[in-house]
Amino acid sequence: MKTKMTLGLVAAVLLTQAGCTTKIRSLPMPAALQTRNAQDVALYFGDEAHAPVKQTFGNKEFAVRMNRQPESSKEVTCNLALTKALQQLRDYAREQHANAVINVKTRFQSTITASATEFTCGASLNGSTLAVRGDVVTLETN
């Protein structure tokens, strides 16, 4: 009797933990985030070409976790997390009076992506997590 109860408890714990496993995903960068608005802080992912740097304000990282809504897919939740993290990065750049963030990378744990076409996100049944990092700068303008 005790053995059956112990096995039942172990099985319940394993099933609960299996549902919460976070998977590292590489997803396509949303098109809206790939365009640059001259009125906003420009984002340059990875080694994308940009104007010469006039002033640098250092490297900044923001991590975001978004809870998944029942009707949302993991991809949608990852996109929302990315959008929120990039907005925080832009807000910080504005506070520094910078006009761009260069060398932008996305990260989940030790998996890093430096790409204008893909980003890294950790997705589970409960939500999505990622971090964005970049160099906050003022670029020369013509």
Side-chain angles (χ1 to χ4, degrees):
M1 172 90 170
K2 223 176 196 184
T3 304
K4 285 184 181 182
M5 186 184 308
T6 303
L7 287 174
L9 287 172
V10 169
V13 168
L14 288 174
L15 287 173
T16 301
Q17 290 179 347
C20 295
T21 302
T22 300
K23 301 234 187 290
I24 299 172
R25 302 188 60 164
S26 180
L27 298 168
M29 185 70 67
L33 297 177
Q34 292 176 324
T35 57
R36 289 187 188 87
N37 177 347
Q39 306 301 89
D40 202 357
V41 171
L43 299 173
Y44 294 88
F45 294 87
D47 60 359
E48 280 187 295
H50 54 78
V53 174
K54 185 173 163 182
Q55 183 178 7
T56 183
F57 299 93
N59 194 275
K60 190 67 176 171
E61 179 176 281
F62 288 96
V64 172
R65 181 176 193 322
M66 298 291 294
N67 291 329
R68 186 166 164 243
Q69 300 301 314
E71 65 280 354
S72 297
S73 69
K74 291 177 186 175
E75 185 172 328
V76 166
T77 308
C78 280
N79 286 344
L80 290 171
L82 177 64
T83 300
K84 183 175 180 179
L86 290 175
Q87 188 59 51
Q88 290 176 346
L89 194 57
R90 277 188 165 129
D91 289 345
Y92 177 81
R94 276 189 217 98
E95 290 170 9
Q96 306 310 308
H97 303 288
N99 65 3
V101 182
I102 61 173
N103 304 319
V104 176
K105 298 174 177 79
T106 57
R107 175 183 69 78
F108 177 73
Q109 295 176 345
S110 62
T111 302
I112 299 170
T113 301
S115 169
T117 59
E118 294 182 325
F119 71 100
T120 297
C121 179
S124 71
L125 293 176
N126 299 325
S128 297
T129 305
L130 60 77
V132 296
R133 171 182 288 257
D135 299 320
V136 179
V137 299
T138 298
L139 297 177
E140 290 182 9
T141 57
N142 295 334

